[in-house]
Amino acid sequence: MDESSEYDEKSLRDSAFRLLAMREQSRTELKRKLIQKQWPADMVKRVVDELDNEGWQSDERFAASFIREKVGQKQGRLKILAQVTQQKGVSAQIAESVLDSMEVDWFELCAELKQKKFGDDQPADEKEWSRQVRFLQQRGFAPEQIFACVNRPRR
């Protein structure tokens, strides 16, 4: 490696460290941001691999941080899983492992969100019931969690 490429790699590492210092980043996210800054893709891959091997970058740590934040925002498992895998590029295996280790009561979280948004009253009619169900679906809760806290109105 010549001196100029060594200097470039050091600058690239510095740039990666600045991004990681702001917050945890997934591998995919870190690579994308560095490539957007006009760094060569092969050099970015090599440096990100090194940072991962050295423990500076970790998809597990990123996923745990990201998932904790989303649970705090009362988002459901399905939405969180989609975001962390599709948008952030974390493997489904890592995301599932982190979600399982957190021991979140998704039924309770769904009920808390329903109560916060709609109060304690059950839906008065089908239209209101559908609105509440749609809202909870969009937040990423599974049907069994939603139906456990939103009772269908009697006809």
Side-chain angles (χ1 to χ4, degrees):
M1 191 183 297
D2 65 10
E3 192 174 320
S4 67
S5 63
E6 194 173 301
Y7 172 74
D8 285 348
E9 201 159 305
K10 182 181 180 330
S11 297
L12 173 56
R13 278 180 74 88
D14 290 346
S15 187
F17 276 125
R18 277 192 298 279
L19 289 169
L20 289 168
M22 287 189 262
R23 69 167 177 79
E24 291 286 347
Q25 310 269 336
S26 70
R27 287 176 65 84
T28 303
E29 208 174 25
L30 186 57
K31 284 193 250 187
R32 184 181 63 241
K33 288 178 181 181
L34 292 169
I35 289 169
Q36 284 174 345
K37 291 179 181 228
Q38 307 302 310
W39 291 103
D42 59 331
M43 190 185 295
V44 166
K45 183 185 180 327
R46 189 171 54 251
V47 167
V48 171
D49 287 346
E50 290 171 8
L51 293 173
D52 181 29
N53 291 335
E54 296 165 6
W56 294 106
Q57 187 284 323
S58 164
D59 273 358
E60 290 85 359
R61 238 181 7 246
F62 167 77
S65 171
F66 183 83
I67 291 169
R68 258 192 316 278
E69 178 185 345
K70 297 303 174 185
V71 167
Q73 295 171 355
K74 297 196 184 324
Q75 290 186 11
R77 181 183 179 105
L78 301 174
K79 184 173 184 178
I80 293 171
L81 190 57
Q83 288 174 329
V84 79
T85 57
Q86 295 167 13
Q87 293 174 7
K88 303 300 182 179
V90 173
S91 77
Q93 183 181 356
I94 290 172
E96 290 279 2
S97 172
V98 170
L99 279 164
D100 291 344
S101 72
M102 294 183 85
E103 299 178 12
V104 175
D105 184 342
W106 299 104
F107 287 90
E108 180 64 29
L109 194 64
C110 184
E112 287 173 13
L113 181 61
K114 187 262 179 208
Q115 197 279 329
K116 180 180 177 187
K117 176 79 174 171
F118 302 107
D120 292 323
D121 297 338
Q122 289 300 323
D125 55 25
E126 285 287 324
K127 185 176 178 183
E128 179 60 22
W129 178 83
S130 295
R131 189 171 81 90
Q132 290 184 17
V133 168
R134 265 192 319 277
F135 172 78
L136 295 169
Q137 284 175 325
Q138 290 168 350
R139 293 301 292 258
F141 291 97
E144 61 271 11
Q145 296 156 357
I146 295 169
F147 299 141
C149 68
V150 181
N151 296 329
R152 196 168 205 136
R154 303 218 186 269
R155 293 178 185 206

